[in-house]
Coordinates of all heavy atoms in Angstrom, one line a residue:
N379 N 24.0 6.2 28.4 CA 23.5 4.9 28.6 C 22.4 4.5 27.6 O 21.6 5.3 27.3 CB 23.0 4.7 30.1 CG 23.9 5.0 31.2 OD1 24.0 6.2 31.7 ND2 24.8 4.0 31.4
Y380 N 22.4 3.2 27.2 CA 21.3 2.7 26.3 C 20.8 1.4 27.0 O 21.7 0.7 27.7 CB 21.8 2.5 25.0 CG 22.2 3.7 24.1 CD1 23.4 4.3 24.3 CD2 21.2 4.2 23.2 CE1 23.7 5.4 23.5 CE2 21.5 5.3 22.4 CZ 22.7 6.0 22.5 OH 22.9 7.1 21.8
D381 N 19.6 1.0 26.5 CA 19.2 -0.4 27.1 C 19.6 -1.3 25.9 O 20.3 -0.8 24.8 CB 17.8 -0.4 27.3 CG 16.8 -0.1 26.1 OD1 17.4 -0.2 25.0 OD2 15.7 0.2 26.4
K382 N 19.3 -2.6 26.0 CA 19.8 -3.6 25.2 C 19.1 -3.5 23.7 O 19.5 -4.1 22.7 CB 19.7 -5.1 25.7 CG 18.4 -5.5 25.8 CD 18.3 -7.0 26.2 CE 17.0 -7.7 26.2 NZ 17.1 -9.1 26.5
Y383 N 17.9 -2.7 23.8 CA 17.2 -2.5 22.6 C 17.6 -1.3 21.8 O 17.0 -1.1 20.7 CB 15.7 -2.4 22.8 CG 15.1 -3.6 23.6 CD1 15.0 -3.4 25.1 CD2 14.8 -4.8 23.0 CE1 14.4 -4.5 25.7 CE2 14.3 -5.8 23.8 CZ 14.1 -5.7 25.1 OH 13.6 -6.8 25.8
G384 N 18.7 -0.5 22.3 CA 19.0 0.6 21.6 C 18.3 1.9 21.9 O 18.6 2.9 21.3
N385 N 17.5 1.8 23.0 CA 16.8 3.1 23.5 C 17.7 3.8 24.3 O 18.3 3.2 25.2 CB 15.6 2.6 24.2 CG 14.6 1.9 23.4 OD1 14.2 2.3 22.3 ND2 14.1 0.8 23.9
I386 N 17.7 5.1 24.1 CA 18.5 6.0 25.0 C 17.9 6.0 26.5 O 16.7 6.2 26.6 CB 18.6 7.4 24.4 CG1 19.5 8.3 25.1 CG2 17.2 8.1 24.3 CD1 20.9 8.0 25.1
V387 N 18.8 6.0 27.4 CA 18.6 6.0 28.8 C 18.9 7.3 29.4 O 18.1 7.9 30.2 CB 19.0 4.7 29.5 CG1 18.8 4.9 31.0 CG2 18.4 3.5 29.0
T388 N 20.2 7.8 29.2 CA 20.8 8.9 29.9 C 21.2 9.9 28.8 O 22.0 9.5 27.9 CB 21.9 8.6 30.7 OG1 21.5 7.6 31.6 CG2 22.3 9.7 31.6
I389 N 20.7 11.2 28.8 CA 21.2 12.3 28.1 C 21.7 13.3 29.0 O 21.0 13.7 30.0 CB 20.0 12.9 27.3 CG1 19.5 11.8 26.3 CG2 20.5 14.1 26.4 CD1 18.3 12.4 25.4
R390 N 22.9 13.7 28.9 CA 23.6 14.6 29.7 C 24.2 15.7 28.8 O 25.0 15.6 28.0 CB 24.7 13.9 30.5 CG 25.6 14.9 31.3 CD 26.7 14.1 32.1 NE 27.3 13.2 31.3 CZ 28.5 13.4 30.6 NH1 28.9 14.7 30.6 NH2 29.0 12.6 29.8
S391 N 23.7 17.0 29.1 CA 24.2 18.1 28.5 C 25.7 18.5 29.0 O 26.0 18.0 30.2 CB 23.3 19.4 28.6 OG 23.5 20.0 29.8
F392 N 26.4 19.2 28.3 CA 27.7 19.6 28.8 C 27.7 20.6 29.9 O 28.8 21.1 30.5 CB 28.7 20.0 27.6 CG 29.1 18.9 26.9 CD1 28.4 18.3 25.9 CD2 30.4 18.3 27.1 CE1 28.9 17.2 25.1 CE2 30.9 17.2 26.5 CZ 30.2 16.7 25.4
Y393 N 26.4 21.0 30.2 CA 26.4 21.9 31.4 C 25.8 21.1 32.7 O 25.2 21.5 33.6 CB 25.3 23.0 31.1 CG 25.8 23.9 30.0 CD1 25.4 23.7 28.7 CD2 26.8 24.8 30.3 CE1 25.7 24.6 27.7 CE2 27.3 25.6 29.2 CZ 26.8 25.6 28.0 OH 27.2 26.4 27.0
D394 N 25.9 19.7 32.5 CA 25.5 18.7 33.5 C 23.9 18.6 33.8 O 23.6 18.3 34.8 CB 26.3 19.0 34.9 CG 27.7 18.7 34.7 OD1 28.0 17.7 33.9 OD2 28.6 19.3 35.3
N395 N 23.2 19.0 32.8 CA 21.7 18.8 33.0 C 21.5 17.4 32.4 O 21.8 17.1 31.3 CB 21.0 19.8 32.1 CG 21.1 21.3 32.7 OD1 21.1 21.4 33.9 ND2 21.1 22.2 31.8
V396 N 20.9 16.5 33.2 CA 20.7 15.2 33.1 C 19.2 14.8 32.8 O 18.3 15.3 33.7 CB 21.3 14.3 34.2 CG1 21.1 12.8 33.7 CG2 22.8 14.6 34.3
T397 N 18.9 14.1 31.9 CA 17.6 13.4 31.6 C 17.7 12.0 31.6 O 18.5 11.4 30.8 CB 16.9 14.0 30.4 OG1 16.9 15.4 30.5 CG2 15.4 13.6 30.3
I398 N 16.9 11.3 32.3 CA 16.7 9.8 32.4 C 15.6 9.4 31.9 O 14.4 9.9 32.2 CB 17.0 9.3 33.8 CG1 18.2 9.9 34.6 CG2 17.1 7.7 33.9 CD1 19.5 9.4 34.1
Y399 N 15.6 8.4 30.9 CA 14.4 7.8 30.3 C 14.3 6.4 30.8 O 15.3 5.6 30.7 CB 14.4 7.9 28.9 CG 14.3 9.4 28.2 CD1 15.4 10.0 27.9 CD2 13.0 9.8 28.2 CE1 15.3 11.3 27.5 CE2 13.0 11.2 27.7 CZ 14.0 11.9 27.4 OH 13.9 13.2 26.9
L400 N 13.1 6.0 31.2 CA 12.9 4.6 31.7 C 11.9 4.0 30.7 O 11.0 4.6 30.2 CB 12.3 4.5 33.1 CG 13.0 5.2 34.1 CD1 12.3 5.0 35.5 CD2 14.5 4.7 34.3
W401 N 12.3 2.7 30.3 CA 11.5 2.0 29.3 C 10.9 0.7 29.8 O 11.4 0.2 30.7 CB 12.4 1.7 28.0 CG 13.0 2.9 27.4 CD1 14.0 3.6 27.9 CD2 12.5 3.4 26.1 NE1 14.2 4.7 26.9 CE2 13.3 4.6 25.8 CE3 11.5 3.2 25.2 CZ2 13.2 5.4 24.8 CZ3 11.4 3.9 24.1 CH2 12.2 5.2 23.8
S402 N 9.9 0.2 29.1 CA 9.3 -1.1 29.5 C 8.6 -1.7 28.3 O 8.9 -1.3 27.1 CB 8.2 -0.9 30.6 OG 7.7 -2.2 31.1
Y403 N 7.8 -2.8 28.5 CA 7.1 -3.4 27.4 C 8.1 -3.9 26.4 O 8.1 -3.8 25.1 CB 6.1 -2.5 26.7 CG 5.1 -2.0 27.6 CD1 5.2 -0.8 28.0 CD2 4.1 -2.7 28.0 CE1 4.2 -0.2 28.9 CE2 2.9 -2.3 28.7 CZ 3.0 -1.0 29.2 OH 2.1 -0.4 30.0
H404 N 9.3 -4.5 27.0 CA 10.3 -5.1 26.1 C 11.0 -4.0 25.2 O 11.2 -4.2 24.0 CB 9.9 -6.2 25.3 CG 9.4 -7.4 26.2 ND1 10.3 -8.1 27.0 CD2 8.3 -8.1 26.2 CE1 9.6 -9.1 27.6 NE2 8.4 -9.1 27.1
G405 N 11.1 -2.9 25.7 CA 11.7 -1.7 25.1 C 10.9 -0.9 24.1 O 11.5 -0.1 23.3
K406 N 9.5 -1.2 24.1 CA 8.6 -0.6 23.0 C 8.2 0.9 23.5 O 8.1 1.7 22.6 CB 7.5 -1.5 22.9 CG 7.8 -2.8 22.2 CD 6.4 -3.7 22.0 CE 6.8 -4.9 21.4 NZ 5.4 -5.7 21.3
Y407 N 8.0 1.1 24.7 CA 7.5 2.4 25.2 C 8.3 3.0 26.3 O 8.6 2.3 27.2 CB 6.0 2.2 25.6 CG 5.1 1.6 24.6 CD1 4.6 0.2 24.7 CD2 4.7 2.3 23.5 CE1 3.7 -0.3 23.9 CE2 3.8 1.7 22.6 CZ 3.3 0.3 22.7 OH 2.4 -0.2 21.9
P408 N 8.4 4.3 26.2 CA 9.1 5.0 27.4 C 8.0 5.2 28.5 O 6.7 5.5 28.3 CB 9.5 6.4 26.8 CG 8.6 6.6 25.8 CD 8.3 5.3 25.2
I409 N 8.4 4.9 29.7 CA 7.3 4.9 30.8 C 7.7 6.0 31.8 O 6.7 6.3 32.6 CB 7.3 3.6 31.6 CG1 8.7 3.3 32.1 CG2 6.8 2.5 30.6 CD1 8.6 2.0 33.0
A410 N 8.8 6.6 31.6 CA 9.1 7.8 32.7 C 10.2 8.6 32.0 O 11.2 8.2 31.4 CB 9.6 7.4 34.0
E411 N 10.1 10.0 32.3 CA 11.2 10.9 31.9 C 11.4 11.6 33.4 O 10.7 12.2 34.0 CB 10.6 11.9 31.0 CG 11.7 13.0 30.5 CD 11.1 14.2 29.8 OE1 10.3 14.9 30.3 OE2 11.6 14.4 28.6
I412 N 12.8 11.6 33.6 CA 13.2 12.1 35.0 C 14.2 13.2 34.8 O 15.3 12.9 34.2 CB 13.7 10.9 35.9 CG1 12.7 9.8 36.0 CG2 14.3 11.5 37.3 CD1 13.3 8.6 36.8
K413 N 14.0 14.4 35.2 CA 14.9 15.4 35.2 C 15.3 15.9 36.5 O 14.5 15.9 37.4 CB 14.3 16.7 34.4 CG 14.1 16.3 32.9 CD 13.5 17.6 32.2 CE 13.3 17.3 30.7 NZ 12.7 18.4 30.0
G414 N 16.5 16.3 36.8 CA 17.0 16.8 38.0 C 17.6 15.8 39.0 O 17.9 16.1 40.1
S415 N 17.7 14.6 38.5 CA 18.4 13.5 39.2 C 19.6 12.9 38.3 O 19.5 12.9 37.1 CB 17.5 12.5 39.7 OG 16.6 12.9 40.7
T416 N 20.7 12.3 39.0 CA 21.7 11.7 38.3 C 21.4 10.3 38.0 O 20.4 9.6 38.6 CB 23.0 11.8 39.1 OG1 22.8 11.0 40.3 CG2 23.3 13.2 39.6
Y417 N 22.1 9.7 37.1 CA 21.9 8.3 36.8 C 22.0 7.4 38.1 O 21.3 6.5 38.3 CB 23.0 7.8 35.7 CG 22.9 6.4 35.4 CD1 22.1 5.8 34.5 CD2 23.8 5.5 36.2 CE1 22.0 4.5 34.2 CE2 23.7 4.1 35.8 CZ 22.8 3.6 34.9 OH 22.9 2.2 34.6
D418 N 23.1 7.7 38.9 CA 23.3 6.9 40.2 C 22.1 7.1 41.1 O 21.8 6.0 41.8 CB 24.6 7.3 40.8 CG 25.8 6.8 40.0 OD1 25.7 5.8 39.2 OD2 26.8 7.5 40.1
E419 N 21.6 8.3 41.2 CA 20.4 8.5 42.1 C 19.0 7.5 41.7 O 18.5 6.9 42.4 CB 20.1 9.9 42.2 CG 21.1 10.8 42.9 CD 20.9 12.2 42.8 OE1 20.1 12.7 41.9 OE2 21.4 13.0 43.6
V420 N 18.9 7.7 40.3 CA 17.9 6.9 39.8 C 18.1 5.3 40.1 O 17.1 4.6 40.4 CB 17.6 7.2 38.3 CG1 16.5 6.3 37.7 CG2 17.2 8.6 38.3
K421 N 19.4 4.9 39.8 CA 19.6 3.6 39.9 C 19.5 3.1 41.4 O 18.9 2.0 41.7 CB 21.2 3.4 39.6 CG 21.7 2.0 39.9 CD 23.2 1.8 39.4 CE 23.8 0.6 39.8 NZ 25.2 0.4 39.5
S422 N 19.8 3.9 42.3 CA 19.6 3.7 43.7 C 18.2 3.5 44.2 O 17.7 2.7 44.8 CB 20.3 4.7 44.6 OG 20.1 4.5 46.0
A423 N 17.4 4.5 43.6 CA 15.9 4.5 43.9 C 15.2 3.3 43.3 O 14.3 2.7 44.0 CB 15.4 5.8 43.4
L424 N 15.7 2.8 42.2 CA 15.1 1.6 41.5 C 15.6 0.3 42.2 O 15.0 -0.7 42.1 CB 15.4 1.6 40.0 CG 14.6 2.7 39.2 CD1 15.2 2.7 37.9 CD2 13.1 2.5 39.3
G425 N 16.8 0.4 42.7 CA 17.4 -0.8 43.3 C 18.2 -1.6 42.2 O 18.5 -2.8 42.4
R426 N 18.2 -1.1 40.8 CA 18.9 -1.7 39.9 C 19.1 -0.7 38.7 O 18.7 0.4 38.9 CB 18.0 -2.9 39.3 CG 16.6 -2.5 39.0 CD 15.8 -3.6 38.4 NE 14.5 -3.3 38.3 CZ 13.6 -4.0 37.6 NH1 13.9 -5.1 37.0 NH2 12.3 -3.7 37.7
K427 N 19.9 -1.1 37.7 CA 20.3 -0.2 36.7 C 18.9 0.2 35.8 O 18.0 -0.7 35.6 CB 21.1 -0.9 35.7 CG 22.5 -1.1 36.2 CD 23.5 -1.6 35.2 CE 25.0 -1.8 35.7 NZ 25.8 -2.2 34.6
P428 N 18.8 1.4 35.5 CA 17.5 1.8 34.8 C 17.2 1.1 33.5 O 16.1 0.8 33.3 CB 17.7 3.4 34.7 CG 18.7 3.8 35.7 CD 19.6 2.6 35.9
E429 N 18.3 0.8 32.8 CA 18.2 0.1 31.6 C 17.6 -1.4 31.7 O 17.0 -1.9 30.8 CB 19.4 0.1 30.7 CG 20.5 -0.4 31.5 CD 21.4 0.6 32.1 OE1 20.8 1.7 32.6 OE2 22.7 0.6 32.0
F430 N 17.6 -1.9 33.0 CA 17.1 -3.3 33.1 C 15.5 -3.3 33.1 O 14.9 -4.3 32.8 CB 17.5 -3.9 34.4 CG 19.0 -4.4 34.3 CD1 19.6 -4.7 35.5 CD2 19.6 -4.3 33.2 CE1 21.1 -5.0 35.5 CE2 21.1 -4.7 33.1 CZ 21.8 -5.1 34.3
L431 N 14.8 -2.1 33.3 CA 13.5 -2.1 33.3 C 12.8 -2.4 31.9 O 11.8 -2.8 31.6 CB 12.9 -0.7 33.7 CG 12.6 -0.6 35.3 CD1 13.8 -0.6 36.1 CD2 12.0 0.9 35.5
S432 N 13.7 -2.1 30.9 CA 13.2 -2.3 29.6 C 12.9 -3.8 29.1 O 12.0 -4.0 28.3 CB 14.4 -1.8 28.5 OG 14.7 -0.5 28.7
E433 N 13.4 -4.7 29.9 CA 13.2 -6.0 29.6 C 11.9 -6.6 30.3 O 11.5 -7.6 29.9 CB 14.4 -6.9 30.2 CG 15.7 -6.4 29.7 CD 16.9 -7.2 30.2 OE1 16.6 -8.3 30.7 OE2 18.0 -6.7 30.3
E434 N 11.2 -5.8 31.0 CA 9.9 -6.2 31.5 C 8.8 -6.2 30.5 O 8.9 -5.4 29.6 CB 9.5 -5.4 32.8 CG 10.6 -5.5 33.9 CD 10.1 -4.5 35.1 OE1 9.2 -3.7 34.9 OE2 10.7 -4.7 36.2
S435 N 7.8 -7.1 30.6 CA 6.7 -7.1 29.7 C 5.7 -6.0 30.0 O 5.1 -5.6 29.0 CB 6.0 -8.5 29.9 OG 5.6 -8.7 31.1
E436 N 5.7 -5.5 31.2 CA 4.8 -4.4 31.5 C 5.4 -3.8 32.9 O 6.0 -4.5 33.7 CB 3.4 -4.7 31.7 CG 3.1 -5.7 32.7 CD 1.5 -6.1 32.7 OE1 0.9 -6.1 31.6 OE2 1.1 -6.2 33.8
P437 N 5.2 -2.4 33.0 CA 5.7 -1.8 34.2 C 4.9 -2.0 35.5 O 3.7 -2.2 35.4 CB 5.8 -0.3 33.7 CG 4.6 -0.2 32.8 CD 4.5 -1.5 32.1
D438 N 5.5 -1.7 36.6 CA 4.8 -1.7 37.9 C 4.6 -0.1 38.1 O 5.6 0.6 38.6 CB 5.7 -2.2 39.0 CG 4.9 -2.4 40.4 OD1 4.1 -1.4 40.6 OD2 5.3 -3.2 41.2
M439 N 3.4 0.4 37.8 CA 3.2 1.7 37.9 C 3.2 2.4 39.3 O 3.6 3.5 39.4 CB 1.8 2.0 37.2 CG 1.7 1.6 35.7 SD 3.1 2.2 34.7 CE 2.8 4.0 34.9
K440 N 2.9 1.5 40.2 CA 3.1 1.9 41.6 C 4.4 2.3 42.0 O 4.7 3.3 42.7 CB 2.4 1.0 42.6 CG 1.0 0.8 42.6 CD 0.5 -0.3 43.6 CE -1.0 -0.4 43.6 NZ -1.6 -1.2 44.6
K441 N 5.3 1.6 41.5 CA 6.8 1.9 41.8 C 7.2 3.1 41.1 O 8.0 3.8 41.5 CB 7.7 0.7 41.4 CG 7.5 -0.6 42.4 CD 8.5 -1.6 42.0 CE 8.4 -2.8 43.0 NZ 9.3 -3.9 42.6
M442 N 6.7 3.4 39.8 CA 7.0 4.4 39.1 C 6.5 5.7 40.0 O 7.2 6.7 40.1 CB 6.3 4.5 37.7 CG 6.8 3.5 36.8 SD 8.6 3.7 36.4 CE 9.4 2.5 37.5
E443 N 5.2 5.7 40.4 CA 4.7 6.8 41.1 C 5.6 7.0 42.5 O 5.8 8.1 43.0 CB 3.3 6.6 41.6 CG 2.4 6.6 40.3 CD 2.2 8.0 39.7 OE1 2.7 9.0 40.3 OE2 1.5 8.0 38.7

Side-chain angles (χ1 to χ4, degrees):
N379 303 96
Y380 290 82
D381 64 19
K382 73 175 188 178
Y383 303 100
N385 298 314
I386 183 67
V387 173
T388 308
I389 299 178
R390 173 176 52 84
S391 76
F392 281 83
Y393 300 100
D394 290 329
N395 295 319
V396 177
T397 302
I398 308 292
Y399 293 96
L400 305 181
W401 299 75
S402 187
Y403 302 101
H404 299 299
K406 293 180 180 178
Y407 303 107
I409 58 172
E411 178 190 70
I412 304 173
K413 297 182 178 180
S415 288
T416 66
Y417 175 85
D418 288 336
E419 289 171 342
V420 175
K421 176 183 175 182
S422 177
L424 293 172
R426 52 179 166 166
K427 291 183 177 181
E429 49 266 44
F430 287 170
L431 268 66
S432 301
E433 302 178 24
E434 296 180 346
S435 59
E436 59 183 36
D438 186 333
M439 299 309 298
K440 290 184 179 180
K441 289 185 178 180
M442 291 297 101
E443 295 288 353

